[in-house]
Amino acid sequence: DGGITQSPKYLFRKEGQNVTLSCEQNLNHDAMYWYRQDPGQGLRLIYYSQIVNDFQKGDIAEGYSVSREKKESFPLTVTSAQKNPTAFYLCASSISAAAHSYEQYFGPGTRLTVT
Amino acid sequence: GESVGLHLPTLSVQEGDNSIINCAYSNSASDYFIWYKQESGKGPQFIIDIRSNMDKRQGQRVTVLLNKTVKHLSLQIAATQPGDSAVYFCAEPSGYSTLTFGKGTMLLVSP
């Protein structure tokens, strides 16, 4: 089965701790994305990567970091500098940035709660 | 529609009715649009897309209409079913490979 997996589904952390959210895809997609979703809101882009070993900041990158060492994996770290980290985090991928293929495929999401 | 903070615009319909969900976009140069469906606690799923050289595109029970003059998109769902209850987002390109998503509309289908 091809798809995007995110783990864990629910994550709880104490304030002041960094936490890393996992995202893996076996679709052989070049581009990957991280979004944050707050209740009653749309999706806001945190970081994206068009190719391995390269990534760009999205609209709300402050307090987050990413890496893209492998094509299949794009982990997101929520650092203690992120003021309001509690949210639903969604990972997505798309075939190729070069192909201007805009359709994005989403994972099931991770709900992070920081107290 | 525009977000009103924590409260999404909501459309309530009866099972079997047709539903129309609207979306206004901002960039007149956008050449591609996507509709996504998001069920509670899950990731968004692709429903249908349309390129700007088309006014209408039909899928299974869904139709997307594009009015470039007023920068408006609509998603029509025929014979709405309880399983259609979800939040629906429109999206348009915002960069080389990125999308900007609308705030979403919640569709509630009662039996």
Side-chain angles (χ1 to χ4, degrees):
Chain A
D1 268 344
I4 302 177
T5 56
Q6 292 184 244
S7 59
K9 187 168 178 61
Y10 299 97
L11 191 53
F12 298 89
R13 280 293 183 271
K14 293 290 187 186
E15 196 174 316
Q17 292 179 334
N18 291 353
V19 58
T20 298
L21 282 58
S22 166
C23 177
E24 304 278 329
Q25 55 99 359
N26 61 4
L27 300 166
N28 199 34
H29 285 176
D30 286 331
M32 297 186 74
Y33 310 81
W34 273 106
Y35 294 90
R36 170 185 173 130
Q37 187 175 33
D38 294 287
Q41 298 291 313
L43 281 63
R44 292 186 289 167
L45 183 64
I46 304 173
Y47 267 99
Y48 64 103
S49 167
Q50 296 174 339
I51 198 166
V52 174
N53 292 323
D54 187 45
F55 49 83
Q56 287 79 39
K57 293 182 179 180
D59 301 320
I60 56 164
E62 186 175 348
Y64 300 97
S65 66
V66 292
S67 62
R68 186 86 186 279
E69 297 175 3
K70 297 187 298 182
K71 188 174 186 177
E72 313 80 59
S73 179
F74 190 40
L76 173 74
T77 297
V78 184
T79 75
S80 55
Q82 169 48 235
K83 291 183 175 23
N84 296 298
T86 294
F88 188 50
Y89 290 88
L90 287 158
C91 179
S93 69
S94 65
I95 292 172
S96 167
H100 284 271
S101 175
Y102 291 105
E103 183 183 343
Q104 295 180 14
Y105 298 76
F106 284 84
T110 292
R111 188 167 298 281
L112 173 65
T113 302
V114 177
T115 56
Chain B
E2 293 295 320
S3 170
V4 289
L6 290 179
H7 304 287
L8 281 173
T10 300
L11 175 65
S12 296
V13 301
Q14 295 282 327
E15 184 178 358
D17 286 352
N18 295 333
S19 302
I20 300 175
I21 299 170
N22 297 304
C23 177
Y25 64 92
S26 54
N27 185 359
S28 56
S30 289
D31 59 358
Y32 179 72
F33 304 89
I34 305 179
W35 279 99
Y36 281 94
K37 172 186 179 182
Q38 185 179 24
E39 296 177 23
S40 181
K42 298 183 178 180
Q45 295 175 285
F46 171 90
I47 303 174
I48 192 168
D49 58 4
I50 188 168
R51 296 209 172 268
S52 61
N53 60 355
M54 304 170 72
D55 296 325
K56 179 179 177 179
R57 188 166 188 216
Q58 286 185 290
Q60 188 175 14
R61 277 201 311 118
V62 295
T63 301
V64 56
L65 298 178
L66 174 60
N67 185 332
K68 295 182 282 292
T69 303
V70 294
K71 293 190 286 187
H72 183 268
L73 257 137
S74 66
L75 178 71
Q76 301 179 0
I77 304 174
T80 313
Q81 302 167 359
D84 295 327
S85 293
V87 176
Y88 290 81
F89 295 97
C90 63
E92 61 178 310
S94 57
Y96 187 61
S97 67
T98 57
L99 292 170
T100 293
F101 290 81
K103 301 293 186 187
T105 296
M106 181 174 290
L107 176 65
L108 297 174
V109 183
S110 49

